[in-house]
Amino acid sequence: MGEVRPNTGSEPGEEEGMQRIPLLTPYKMGNFRLSHRIVLAPLTRQRSFNNVPQPHAIPYYSQRATKGGFLVAEATGVSDTAQGYPNTPGIWTKEQTDAWKPIVEAVHAKGAVFFCQIWHCGRVSNTGFQPNGHPPISSTFRELAPQLRANGVDMARFSPPRQLRTDEIPKIVNDFRIAARNALEAGFDGVEIHGAHGYLIEQFFKDQANDRTDEYGGSLENRCRFGLEIVEAVSNEIGADRVGIRLSPFANYMECGDSNPEALGLYLAEALNKYGILYCHMIEPRMKSVGVKSECAESLTPMRKSFKGTFIVAGGYDREDGNKAVAENRTDLVAYGRHFLANPDLPKRFELDAPLNEYKRETFYAPEPVLGYTDYPFLEETDAFQGTT
């Protein structure tokens, strides 16, 4: 537990004499038996109109599901104060929970494991997304500067946040607990708590954003208290063996950097062991900002060695370095975002070392239910188009 783990099992379809592909070796994640180590990362797609998952998500997720595969659903709001982007799904109402059910059923019909990522945007929001036009909540009163949207054209503008009072924090913790319960009611196998990318939980973790003077601010232990209370509440509600968390200690998304990210990551990796959760999903240090991969001497290795459950890495991976990370026991699983978005059959393409479809960034967050969503071709379709067999 937390030590170097040997890769056991053989690649699906492997013939004697063929080279093993580390990403395609089986792995036992708690009670879940995975046939390969390629994970669909949680990807915001902004196609859940009025925060309700839509039927067009059924083909989207089921296209990417394989027997023994592991998928994490897009970030899903835990309450009506959690929103910060248009048309992102929620799971705090019965309507939302029921709308997830056929999506989850379609993924399970393919034999895959499916977790729901639960989140709260915190100050990455504005009054237009908040009930009754109230300010968004955060660890701080500090307002975010406008940010260029992913389309490279529009600017996102954020309202001045309201710092949560100490006595309000248990209510937010409870929102995550109820969301986790609803996720299991919808049929999900578990939940991933979103503690990364500058959203509410990370606004407490990071000293660039957290300027509190109560028991939720100041020291490393205090800044991590809120996130760990959520982990404890969710684990108590649905079982720690169904709980993961995503962290990005080295990143500075949404003005959410930290003066000592390695200490933060190591503290969290060790603290999470107390709760016995299933996995820790960490963003590579090279991903300092969204979509930008850079050379970096920092490493997740100390966190990998400290955390006793399954370790998942994400951030700028391709086939080659994903295989290398698994082969060198730097991780158990590798999460893929943009490549899996554009290649619904990514495990098969990696198995055959086949060319990948190019992703279309301009369609990532379009409301279109087909274009840039479920219309990326499978390998067989690509071969047929090119006249090959």
Side-chain angles (χ1 to χ4, degrees), residues 77-152:
V78 300
S79 71
D80 59 357
T81 69
Q83 308 310 298
Y85 300 87
N87 298 319
T88 53
I91 198 160
W92 72 88
T93 70
K94 186 178 187 303
E95 180 187 13
Q96 294 163 347
T97 302
D98 287 346
W100 273 115
K101 289 180 179 179
I103 303 168
V104 177
E105 288 171 2
V107 170
H108 283 161
K110 299 283 285 288
V113 177
F114 200 17
F115 273 42
C116 180
Q117 189 190 65
I118 52 177
W119 75 333
H120 194 300
C121 286
R123 68 174 179 170
V124 186
S125 185
N126 61 55
T127 55
F129 290 106
Q130 297 301 309
N132 301 313
H134 289 162
I137 57 176
S138 182
S139 62
T140 181
F141 286 108
R142 292 176 183 165
E143 181 181 357
L144 279 174
Q147 303 264 346
L148 188 66
R149 292 191 187 276
N151 62 14

Side-chain angles (χ1 to χ4, degrees), residues 123-191:
R123 68 174 179 170
V124 186
S125 185
N126 61 55
T127 55
F129 290 106
Q130 297 301 309
N132 301 313
H134 289 162
I137 57 176
S138 182
S139 62
T140 181
F141 286 108
R142 292 176 183 165
E143 181 181 357
L144 279 174
Q147 303 264 346
L148 188 66
R149 292 191 187 276
N151 62 14
V153 177
D154 301 322
M155 295 295 292
R157 302 187 183 278
F158 309 100
S159 301
R162 179 178 69 81
Q163 186 182 71
L164 277 166
R165 299 191 313 270
T166 306
D167 66 327
E168 293 177 299
I169 288 177
K171 166 65 167 63
I172 309 302
V173 172
N174 195 52
D175 287 340
F176 276 86
R177 181 186 67 80
I178 293 171
R181 184 178 68 197
N182 289 346
L184 261 64
E185 169 63 24
F188 283 103
D189 297 295
V191 300

Side-chain angles (χ1 to χ4, degrees), residues 23 32 50 70-72 74 159 181 206 209 272 287 299 325 352 366 370 384:
L23 282 169
F32 303 104
N50 298 315
F70 180 36
L71 287 68
V72 185
E74 62 208 271
S159 301
R181 184 178 68 197
K206 303 284 189 73
L272 289 167
M287 306 303 292
S299 168
L352 301 176
V370 175

Side-chain angles (χ1 to χ4, degrees), residues 29-302:
M29 181 178 71
N31 296 321
F32 303 104
R33 293 187 178 275
L34 306 182
S35 61
H36 59 78
R37 298 166 185 251
I38 302 164
V39 180
L40 174 66
L43 298 167
T44 292
R45 305 308 310 274
Q46 294 184 14
R47 289 166 168 86
S48 296
F49 309 137
N50 298 315
N51 307 126
V52 178
Q54 299 294 307
H56 48 247
I58 296 173
Y60 171 72
Y61 282 110
S62 62
Q63 282 177 347
R64 288 156 182 80
T66 55
K67 185 176 182 180
F70 180 36
L71 287 68
V72 185
E74 62 208 271
T76 301
V78 300
S79 71
D80 59 357
T81 69
Q83 308 310 298
Y85 300 87
N87 298 319
T88 53
I91 198 160
W92 72 88
T93 70
K94 186 178 187 303
E95 180 187 13
Q96 294 163 347
T97 302
D98 287 346
W100 273 115
K101 289 180 179 179
I103 303 168
V104 177
E105 288 171 2
V107 170
H108 283 161
K110 299 283 285 288
V113 177
F114 200 17
F115 273 42
C116 180
Q117 189 190 65
I118 52 177
W119 75 333
H120 194 300
C121 286
R123 68 174 179 170
V124 186
S125 185
N126 61 55
T127 55
F129 290 106
Q130 297 301 309
N132 301 313
H134 289 162
I137 57 176
S138 182
S139 62
T140 181
F141 286 108
R142 292 176 183 165
E143 181 181 357
L144 279 174
Q147 303 264 346
L148 188 66
R149 292 191 187 276
N151 62 14
V153 177
D154 301 322
M155 295 295 292
R157 302 187 183 278
F158 309 100
S159 301
R162 179 178 69 81
Q163 186 182 71
L164 277 166
R165 299 191 313 270
T166 306
D167 66 327
E168 293 177 299
I169 288 177
K171 166 65 167 63
I172 309 302
V173 172
N174 195 52
D175 287 340
F176 276 86
R177 181 186 67 80
I178 293 171
R181 184 178 68 197
N182 289 346
L184 261 64
E185 169 63 24
F188 283 103
D189 297 295
V191 300
E192 176 177 287
I193 298 165
H194 198 342
H197 296 166
Y199 299 117
L200 182 62
I201 294 175
E202 194 172 71
Q203 289 159 32
F204 277 81
F205 286 157
K206 303 284 189 73
D207 57 16
Q208 183 182 353
N210 188 337
D211 55 0
R212 303 177 73 92
T213 57
D214 63 1
E215 60 263 42
Y216 292 93
S219 69
L220 192 54
E221 180 181 5
N222 283 357
R223 284 183 279 120
C224 293
R225 188 184 310 276
F226 173 60
L228 293 175
E229 286 180 350
I230 290 172
V231 169
E232 181 175 28
V234 169
S235 296
N236 288 342
E237 181 66 30
I238 66 171
D241 58 343
R242 294 181 179 274
V243 178
I245 189 168
R246 196 178 212 206
L247 304 171
S248 57
F250 293 92
N252 54 17
Y253 301 112
M254 295 295 176
E255 300 174 29
C256 216
D258 194 81
S259 61
N260 193 342
E262 184 161 358
L264 173 63
L266 191 57
Y267 177 86
L268 283 168
E270 293 174 346
L272 289 167
N273 289 330
K274 172 185 174 183
Y275 306 101
I277 64 172
L278 181 63
Y279 71 80
C280 180
H281 180 180
M282 280 204 176
I283 308 301
E284 284 286 354
R286 62 191 178 190
M287 306 303 292
K288 297 291 186 184
S289 58
V290 176
V292 180
K293 181 178 174 180
S294 58
E295 293 298 320
C296 181
E298 295 163 312
S299 168
L300 295 178
T301 298

Side-chain angles (χ1 to χ4, degrees), residues 310-332:
T310 292
F311 199 74
I312 306 175
V313 295
Y317 277 92
D318 57 19
R319 180 184 187 271
E320 181 181 0
D321 61 359
N323 276 323
K324 187 177 180 182
V326 173
E328 295 177 353
N329 292 295
R330 288 185 280 113
T331 191
D332 298 307

